Amino acid sequence: MGGASVREPGRVGQSGSKMAVGRRLLGAALIFTVWFIPALTVDRSNFKTCDQSSFCQRQRKLQPGLSTYRAALGSAKLSSDKLQVQLIDERNQASLLLEVYGLDGNMTRIKINEINPLKPRYEVPDVLVGTPLPENLRVTEQDDNTLELSLGETGNKLLMTGTPFRLDILSGQDLVLSVNSRGLLHFEHLRERKDTDSEKKDVPAETDEANPEEVESVKEEENKMPEVDEPGMWDETFKTHTDSKPNGPSSVGLDFSLPGFENVYGIPEHADNLKLRTTEGTDPYRLYNLDVFQYELYNTMALYGSVPLLLAHNTKRTLGIFWLNAAETWVDISSNIAGKTLLSKMFQYMQGGGETPQTDVRWMSESGIIDVFLFLGPSPFNVFKQYASLTGTQALPPYFSLGYHQCRWNYNDEEDVRNVDAGFDEYDLPYDVIWLDIEHADGKRYFTWDPHKFPNPRNMLSRLKEKKRKMVAIVDPHIKIDSGYRIHNDIQSQNLYIKTKDGSDYEGWCWPGSAAYPDFTNPEMRQWWASMFSYDKYEGSMDNLFVWNDMNEPSVFNGPEVTMHKDAVHWGGWEHRDVHNLYGFYVQRATTEGLIQRSGGKERPFVLTRAFFAGSQRYGAVWTGDNSAEWDHLKISIPMCLSLSLVGISFCGADVGGFFKNPETELLVRWYQAGAYQPFFRAHAHLDTPRREPWLHGDDNMAVIHDALRQRYTLLPFWYTLFYKALREGDPVMRPLWVEFPSDASTFAMDSQYMLGSALLVHPVTEAKARGVQVYLPGDGEVWYDVHSYQRYEAPQTTYLPVTINSIPVFQRGGSIIPRKDRPRRSSDCMQADPFTLYVALNVQGEARGELFLDDGHSFNYEQNEFLFREFNYSQGKLTASSLDPSGVFKTPSWIERIIIIGATKPTSITLSLAGGSESSLEFAYDQPTSVITVRKPGVNIASDFTVSLR
């Protein structure tokens, strides 16, 4: 569903007739005039640039050079798990506390905070899944201006320089990363406003966190250096909105230098290439969750979600920087060549080499503290595991949610839903879920149904359930202010809305008109919200109804930048500026917990969110928001989802066909083909667009869409197994080529093709009227097979692949085994007992390996060991099946009906041997042109141990 295009203060622009549908709900209730103006693209004037964000401007004004901070090494205190040192800002003598932690798993944590601030500074809660295990630290060398620490048993060392302050991390003799080497640490300490109490100073107390003598010297200096106020420190106006800034300037910034790296990734969400660009001469990348109407491509503007994790990769190592701060954040990226900076010269000397690249990264946040985790890899999968150990892994989705989702704003009524559902059956098209947007509710009062359009929701849901299908309904976090609306009355009576700076309930404008915003940072609010999904409170709901949280940035049509005022007040007295990027995270969390609770903790939820933060992967799926029916939007969906995958959010997809505008038929077909190979597969469309159900575009095009849908459904066991690996290991489902081929520099900037797991390479067709695509097949000494023709390709090579409208270029990697279900059904649940086909693609050594995870697909029983995790190995002419996790037990009727062995020579006979010792001959066919063996009806249960021998 779309956001708003704000044209003037107090005036909300909405595209087309969505507001016409709701116009009858407005009228006398309007306090100010609302205009509904269609927009062709984003109105950039509604969103700040760095120059219009006073803290970003102040931070960026500080130029690289010698740091104004010194580390008082005499104050150092070392315990088993952390080092504490005072930092002194020589400009104003303000004192900070630096804490360095060595963490298990090759990680380092750095925290910087005021020693005794005027009031506490916000530290992000609830994102980390637990307290990271410490590594023992010890001092290995020290002199007057340098302290060397051993970071546990990894062989890594940390060098701390006192004046000017900087940190360097070494792995052996290799300089891996430096902190504050460019002198850009800038920590705005909280202080009294001069015109209220300019002489008053809070003196740091003597605590066990600081050296008393050092504190005393700071006390003596603090009155000596007057501080200059700058515009925007104590209040700031953007358009007609004024931010009162009661706490004054509070921003934090720090730089990191990465010698030897020129490729950096991550920090979603941005509609940009996978490899991050340098921001020299442009705005930094912005992390600030916003409802951006018809967003532009290939720029650094903020979008709906934020994950402050950046990855760096070269042929030798992968690193990660996780900046744990939920306030508005900007990230500057610059590139240098060795020899041009002091750090580069140091790196050059230590490496004994010539020119090497270097990337410098600068983080700037409006409030909070500096709390950063450094992931030292060294491999991509090490970094994924390190990040997952802190923020959790992707939740295992219910099996149905990996199927196809049919959505539009809006299916009009129960009859419309019934007709669309019947259309899929009539045209033999599989799908799992039909979706309802905001018009299904009674006057956009969420948790209700329009009594005229959806008078019998349980009957509607029951009909879908009979076909083993599901429904998703939207539940947004803005609540219509209406004294006759139970949800509003309950939240208001319990005082659970976000407040204005003056203490009244915060009100803004969104789809229902005047709306209030629940304070999801409050655990009581989350508990109450979760309870509303119980079947007795969400009237008309059933166990096959799931949820979609939209507009949860939060979107406030008449607010600054179409979001909430930063001086709004949350639970605990924290300002919205401190928690902004967490809001959507908390909304999805509360919804997810509600769906779990309604089943008594037995059933897995499905919740889609538009806004997100680090850790959102624990609660469901994400999509790329309100895209457009344009070829470039199809193309950008790949790097956008790859970027999300790199930061732990594997369940990603884009609106198939584009949300805005009308796709030409070729674009729509190509989008179905691309979407079939992305983790979340949903078609969605704007209210004003013509209907786009697959059968409305002619028989030929419907046949192509049918084939794309069928390819998706045959691979569901493969998708599900990848998500299980994501749950257990933190491995991304959809991944850039460099993750699998980390030493192949030619893959580092590729984002037109990608891997699914380690077995499939996908290159969707994203150009109009394409007659062919250039596909790069990586891997020294590896082979790849076209999954449609079984043609074999030697790697590495770039090959030109001719395509027609029917083509989806997909290649199976030699050395992999993929279990598929090749019998088409109308939904994934209907395929539960169907047999498997194993696709065995041999490598040059004649070997292959694969995995299969299997459980009931919907419950948490796998946590009680009700599952199968099977391994298939092919070597020396034998295919064996065994358990990867003997603790798992699950009964299934599914059996193996075929084994396809690709890249094989013709055998004389094939036999099946079971664990009990029985042996039988198997029928097979051999296709000489493709070197493919088809073994017919092995007939063995997928849970059985067996050996198939080729002679």
Side-chain angles (χ1 to χ4, degrees):
M1 188 181 65
S5 178
V6 180
R7 296 303 185 193
E8 300 178 29
R11 299 192 175 200
V12 182
Q14 299 175 349
S15 62
S17 62
K18 184 160 195 176
M19 293 309 296
V21 173
R23 197 168 289 143
R24 69 182 188 279
L25 301 174
L26 306 179
L30 293 177
I31 299 171
F32 51 85
T33 304
V34 180
W35 289 77
F36 311 114
I37 306 171
L40 296 177
T41 186
V42 64
D43 184 350
R44 282 175 170 263
S45 69
N46 288 324
F47 304 101
K48 289 183 179 180
T49 63
C50 179
D51 285 342
Q52 294 170 314
S53 175
S54 65
F55 86 87
C56 183
Q57 190 179 46
R58 291 195 304 275
Q59 288 277 347
R60 225 180 185 197
K61 187 170 66 175
L62 183 65
Q63 294 299 306
L66 294 179
S67 178
T68 62
Y69 289 84
R70 64 179 172 87
L73 298 185
S75 69
K77 289 187 176 182
L78 180 65
S79 62
S80 61
D81 66 331
K82 68 180 175 182
L83 172 72
Q84 294 180 316
V85 179
Q86 265 200 68
L87 300 179
I88 310 299
D89 186 348
E90 299 286 17
R91 294 167 298 184
N92 54 26
Q93 299 302 305
S95 56
L96 305 173
L97 178 66
L98 165 69
E99 296 177 298
V100 178
Y101 299 79
L103 302 179
D104 182 53
N106 212 16
M107 299 181 287
T108 301
R109 185 181 194 178
I110 298 170
K111 294 181 73 173
I112 303 176
N113 197 357
E114 296 186 60
I115 288 179
N116 191 22
L118 287 178
K119 57 180 65 177
R121 299 180 70 114
Y122 190 72
E123 299 188 39
V124 175
D126 299 320
V127 167
L128 303 182
V129 294
T131 303
L133 295 175
E135 282 273 21
N136 288 330
L137 302 178
R138 58 187 176 87
V139 176
T140 51
E141 286 189 38
Q142 185 172 7
D143 59 29
D144 290 343
N145 197 42
T146 308
L147 186 67
E148 182 182 278
L149 280 179
S150 172
L151 299 173
E153 305 303 320
T154 60
N156 297 328
K157 294 181 179 180
L158 182 142
L159 299 178
M160 180 183 296
T161 303
T163 305
F165 164 67
R166 65 178 281 164
L167 300 173
D168 296 293
I169 294 180
L170 290 84
S171 177
Q173 294 300 309
D174 294 338
L175 177 62
V176 174
L177 177 147
S178 294
V179 181
N180 201 40
S181 65
R182 302 172 72 216
L184 297 176
L185 169 61
H186 185 46
F187 198 111
E188 294 183 328
H189 68 101
L190 300 179
R191 59 187 188 269
E192 299 284 359
R193 190 167 187 172
K194 288 184 178 181
D195 58 6
T196 58
D197 198 354
S198 61
E199 299 302 318
K200 195 179 204 178
K201 298 283 181 181
D202 271 20
V203 178
E206 293 184 14
T207 69
D208 60 356
E209 295 185 327
N211 183 299
E213 291 82 9
E214 196 72 39
V215 171
E216 286 302 318
S217 68
V218 173
K219 289 178 185 177
E220 295 172 2
E221 296 293 329
E222 281 187 328
N223 290 321
K224 293 184 180 178
M225 304 216 24
E227 294 177 309
V228 178
D229 284 347
E230 299 180 28
M233 280 186 166
W234 295 96
D235 57 66
E236 183 174 359
T237 298
F238 178 66
K239 302 187 89 168
T240 62
H241 300 283
T242 297
D243 176 6
S244 63
K245 296 194 175 180
N247 295 322
S250 59
S251 71
V252 298
L254 186 61
D255 66 279
F256 301 82
S257 294
L258 307 172
F261 291 88
E262 59 180 331
N263 298 282
V264 291
Y265 313 91
I267 58 170
E269 183 177 36
H270 301 96
D272 207 355
N273 292 317
L274 174 65
K275 178 183 174 181
L276 300 176
R277 66 184 66 203
T278 178
T279 58
E280 295 171 298
T282 67
D283 258 9
Y285 282 97
R286 192 183 188 198
L287 296 174
Y288 190 59
N289 296 359
L290 292 172
D291 179 1
V292 182
F293 182 88
Q294 294 203 2
Y295 56 84
E296 292 181 5
L297 307 184
Y298 304 108
N299 63 56
T300 60
M301 288 179 67
L303 285 179
Y304 311 100
S306 302
V307 181
L309 170 62
L310 179 141
L311 289 83
H313 178 74
N314 62 23
T315 56
K316 297 179 180 178
R317 178 182 290 271
T318 308
L319 298 176
I321 303 173
F322 176 35
W323 179 268
L324 185 53
N325 190 300
E328 178 186 351
T329 297
W330 300 77
V331 185
D332 252 330
I333 298 170
S334 57
S335 299
N336 291 294
I337 298 297
K340 294 186 178 181
T341 67
L342 180 64
L343 175 66
S344 298
K345 290 177 180 177
M346 178 182 175
F347 178 78
Q348 200 172 334
Y349 171 77
M350 298 179 75
Q351 299 295 320
E355 287 194 350
T356 56
Q358 173 182 308
T359 296
D360 299 311
V361 181
R362 180 183 191 176
W363 300 79
M364 302 166 283
S365 293
E366 184 174 17
S367 64
I369 70 168
I370 292 174
D371 189 0
V372 60
F373 294 84
L374 305 177
F375 306 133
L376 303 181
S379 77
F381 291 98
N382 292 145
V383 171
F384 301 145
K385 192 179 295 291
Q386 288 156 0
Y387 178 67
S389 73
L390 297 179
T391 66
T393 58
Q394 177 70 57
L396 182 64
Y399 196 83
F400 78 83
S401 65
L402 300 179
Y404 172 64
H405 301 248
Q406 181 67 34
C407 184
R408 121 169 237 103
W409 173 29
N410 201 86
Y411 286 118
N412 300 324
D413 49 32
E414 291 179 8
E415 182 181 6
D416 198 6
V417 170
R418 184 165 52 249
N419 290 338
V420 171
D421 177 69
F424 278 88
D425 292 334
E426 178 181 353
Y427 295 101
D428 192 28
L429 297 164
Y431 93 104
D432 267 81
V433 193
I434 190 166
W435 291 52
L436 296 179
D437 211 316
I438 57 175
E439 313 301 340
H440 85 277
D442 182 9
K444 301 177 182 65
R445 298 170 181 88
Y446 305 110
F447 297 100
T448 71
W449 304 83
D450 185 303
H452 304 292
K453 297 178 179 179
F454 296 92
N456 300 298
R458 284 185 176 272
N459 290 344
M460 175 180 63
L461 289 165
S462 294
R463 286 193 295 270
L464 290 171
K465 190 172 184 177
E466 289 171 0
K467 296 182 178 181
K468 298 188 176 183
R469 287 174 176 153
K470 316 292 189 291
M471 174 172 278
V472 168
I474 199 166
V475 180
D476 285 350
H478 49 262
I479 302 301
K480 183 178 179 67
I481 297 176
D482 177 358
S483 61
Y485 180 24
R486 175 179 60 88
I487 298 294
H488 165 66
N489 291 339
D490 283 1
I491 299 174
Q492 187 178 56
S493 67
Q494 296 178 65
N495 202 30
L496 294 175
Y497 280 129
I498 298 169
K499 306 300 180 186
T500 66
K501 60 186 174 64
D502 300 318
S504 59
D505 288 349
Y506 181 92
E507 295 183 15
W509 207 257
C510 209
W511 295 130
S514 186
Y517 292 76
D519 186 359
F520 286 93
T521 68
N522 187 337
E524 290 184 19
M525 178 63 229
R526 297 198 299 271
Q527 291 167 11
W528 180 89
W529 182 267
S531 73
M532 289 299 101
F533 290 96
S534 64
Y535 300 124
D536 59 336
K537 292 182 179 177
Y538 189 172
E539 294 183 12
S541 66
M542 290 178 54
D543 60 0
N544 65 331
L545 179 67
F546 297 87
V547 181
W548 169 21
N549 293 146
D550 196 3
M551 317 298 286
N552 54 339
E553 292 74 27
S555 180
V556 183
F557 290 167
N558 61 320
E561 301 192 87
V562 202
T563 192
M564 188 167 287
H565 293 74
K566 288 181 175 179
D567 56 9
V569 180
H570 287 260
W571 176 70
W574 297 109
E575 286 189 286
H576 186 70
R577 85 180 70 251
D578 300 313
V579 306
H580 176 85
N581 286 344
L582 279 174
Y583 191 78
F585 165 90
Y586 278 129
V587 174
Q588 188 187 25
R589 172 181 171 175
T591 303
T592 295
E593 290 170 349
L595 295 191
I596 294 172
Q597 290 173 22
R598 75 177 184 180
S599 69
K602 297 177 181 178
E603 297 296 312
R604 275 178 266 161
F606 171 77
V607 180
L608 179 73
T609 183
R610 190 169 72 175
F612 52 85
F613 191 68
S616 288
Q617 65 270 14
R618 307 198 298 264
Y619 304 116
V622 165
W623 94 106
T624 62
D626 299 335
N627 58 5
S628 295
E630 299 172 3
W631 286 96
D632 278 349
H633 275 264
L634 166 59
K635 194 178 303 182
I636 206 74
S637 70
I638 299 172
M640 289 182 76
C641 279
L642 287 174
S643 294
L644 282 163
S645 295
L646 288 176
V647 300
I649 300 176
S650 272
F651 206 177
C652 168
D655 287 344
V656 169
F659 178 70
F660 290 111
K661 304 181 182 179
N662 303 315
E664 57 192 272
T665 303
E666 182 192 7
L667 173 59
L668 181 65
V669 168
R670 290 301 191 195
W671 216 318
Y672 267 98
Q673 293 172 334
Y677 285 90
Q678 291 180 1
F680 176 56
F681 185 22
R682 180 185 76 154
H684 187 34
H686 188 278
L687 186 73
D688 289 339
T689 62
R691 298 294 283 256
R692 295 187 197 159
E693 285 74 34
W695 52 88
L696 299 177
H697 311 282
D699 290 345
D700 290 345
N701 292 308
M702 184 181 69
V704 179
I705 294 172
H706 177 276
D707 183 59
L709 293 172
R710 181 170 178 178
Q711 288 185 48
R712 172 64 169 219
Y713 276 80
T714 62
L715 283 170
L716 287 181
F718 174 69
W719 282 105
Y720 196 55
T721 301
L722 291 180
F723 272 96
Y724 180 72
K725 295 279 287 182
L727 170 74
R728 291 301 184 210
E729 306 293 336
D731 297 349
V733 169
M734 178 181 179
R735 56 190 71 158
L737 264 65
W738 62 260
V739 169
E740 284 296 321
F741 303 93
S743 61
D744 186 345
S746 62
T747 67
F748 292 175
M750 284 187 180
D751 57 15
S752 60
Q753 59 184 71
Y754 55 91
M755 297 292 296
L756 293 177
S758 61
L760 288 183
L761 185 152
V762 185
H763 190 309
V765 180
T766 58
E767 300 283 349
K769 299 178 174 55
R771 295 183 178 181
V773 293
Q774 295 281 349
V775 181
Y776 178 67
L777 300 173
D780 288 333
E782 298 207 28
V783 294
W784 297 84
Y785 301 92
D786 186 309
V787 299
H788 309 295
S789 67
Y790 302 130
Q791 183 174 342
R792 173 185 169 119
Y793 295 86
E794 305 287 340
Q797 68 160 298
T798 298
T799 185
Y800 178 80
L801 186 72
V803 298
T804 67
I805 192 62
N806 299 286
S807 304
I808 312 177
V810 182
F811 298 83
Q812 184 171 347
R813 189 178 185 179
S816 66
I817 299 175
I818 295 179
R820 290 176 27 173
K821 287 193 172 184
D822 287 343
R823 296 188 183 185
R825 306 283 187 184
R826 65 185 175 198
S827 72
S828 64
D829 277 3
C830 294
M831 302 169 67
Q832 190 172 25
D834 281 355
F836 287 89
T837 296
L838 301 182
Y839 286 77
V840 182
L842 302 184
N843 60 18
V844 292
Q845 290 81 29
E847 298 175 343
R849 183 188 175 277
E851 298 170 349
L852 173 67
F853 174 77
L854 195 63
D855 71 343
D856 62 22
H858 60 86
S859 78
F860 287 102
N861 290 351
Y862 70 89
E863 295 179 347
Q864 280 71 51
N865 295 327
E866 293 185 23
F867 67 88
L868 294 174
F869 193 26
R870 307 292 295 165
E871 180 180 33
F872 307 99
N873 273 293
Y874 187 96
S875 180
Q876 297 180 343
K878 292 184 178 182
L879 173 66
T880 60
S882 58
S883 176
L884 266 174
D885 188 344
S887 67
V889 177
F890 180 71
K891 292 184 178 180
T892 174
S894 294
W895 52 286
I896 299 175
E897 66 174 343
R898 287 187 306 165
I899 300 171
I900 310 293
I901 305 174
I902 310 165
T905 55
K906 184 177 181 179
T908 57
S909 65
I910 300 178
T911 58
L912 170 68
S913 303
L914 299 178
S918 63
E919 186 173 300
S920 57
S921 297
L922 297 176
E923 295 182 4
F924 69 93
Y926 182 72
D927 184 68
Q928 185 72 42
T930 58
S931 300
V932 171
I933 301 169
T934 302
V935 183
R936 301 190 185 98
K937 294 185 179 179
V940 62
N941 189 281
I942 195 68
S944 299
D945 291 351
F946 64 84
T947 300
V948 173
S949 301
L950 283 68
R951 299 185 180 125

